[in-house]
Amino acid sequence: MAVNSTSLATATTDRGTKIVRSTNEMDKNAFLRILTAELSNQNPENATDSTQYVAQMAQFAALEQMTNLNSTMSFMGASALIGKTVGLNTVDETGNQYIGIVKGATKDGGEIILSVEIEKNNTKQLMEFSYKDVLDVY
C-alpha cells in the first residue's frame, strides 16, 4: 500500500483513503489496521508476495516484545523508588513542589502510578502521582 503524501498527517493510500492519526507515534494497533487493510484490499490478480507479510509479522512480533520489555523495565524502575524520597513535577495550591516518600507502585493499564507520602498542612497524606512526574530522587 503506497502512501501518496510526504506529510503523514494528511497522507492517503494509493486508492485515496485518508490515513488519520491522533498522535505523532504509530502504535501496534495502527500497524495491525494497516496490515489488515493491505490484506483485504489487495488485487487478487496481482497479489503481493506472502513473504512480505511474514516479514512484517516478524517485525511486529519483535516490536511487541520490545514494548513489553520497556513496560516491564519502567515498572521495575518505579518499584525501585519505594522507600526513597522523590521530587515531583507537580505543585500544591501554594506553588510548592511536592516532595515525599514513595510507598508503592502500581500499574493501571499502560500508566505507572506511584503512591507517595507527602506532608501537607503538618499531616502526612498518601497521594498518587504518575511515574512520569518524578523529577528528582533524593
Side-chain angles (χ1 to χ4, degrees):
M1 175 166 61
V3 176
N4 294 332
S5 177
T6 57
S7 171
L8 267 156
T10 59
T12 59
T13 65
D14 54 356
R15 293 183 182 205
T17 306
K18 276 186 155 185
I19 298 174
V20 179
R21 297 186 309 155
S22 60
T23 64
N24 292 335
E25 199 171 292
M26 292 288 284
D27 65 352
K28 60 186 174 185
N29 292 327
F31 176 81
L32 283 175
R33 283 192 299 273
I34 291 170
L35 183 61
T36 303
E38 284 180 356
L39 288 171
S40 63
N41 292 312
Q42 68 178 324
N43 182 352
E45 295 175 3
N46 186 16
T48 307
D49 184 16
S50 63
T51 57
Q52 291 179 5
Y53 294 117
V54 171
Q56 287 178 351
M57 290 306 293
Q59 289 174 340
F60 174 72
L63 174 67
E64 179 76 17
Q65 291 302 316
M66 285 188 285
T67 302
N68 292 341
L69 181 61
N70 185 35
S71 176
T72 301
M73 294 302 291
S74 293
F75 187 68
M76 288 176 62
S79 297
L81 293 176
I82 295 174
K84 296 191 180 347
T85 302
V86 294
L88 300 155
N89 188 23
T90 309
V91 294
D92 62 14
E93 54 277 347
T94 61
N96 294 321
Q97 178 187 23
Y98 280 118
I99 297 174
I101 300 171
V102 178
K103 295 296 183 178
T106 57
K107 199 169 182 183
D108 183 19
E111 187 172 5
I112 299 170
I113 305 294
L114 297 177
S115 297
V116 181
E117 183 180 75
I118 60 153
E119 191 170 320
K120 190 173 183 180
N121 301 326
N122 294 325
T123 60
K124 292 185 179 188
Q125 290 182 306
L126 200 59
M127 294 182 67
E128 291 185 340
F129 298 93
S130 172
Y131 177 55
K132 296 175 186 176
D133 288 335
V134 174
L135 289 178
D136 299 307
V137 180
Y138 304 104

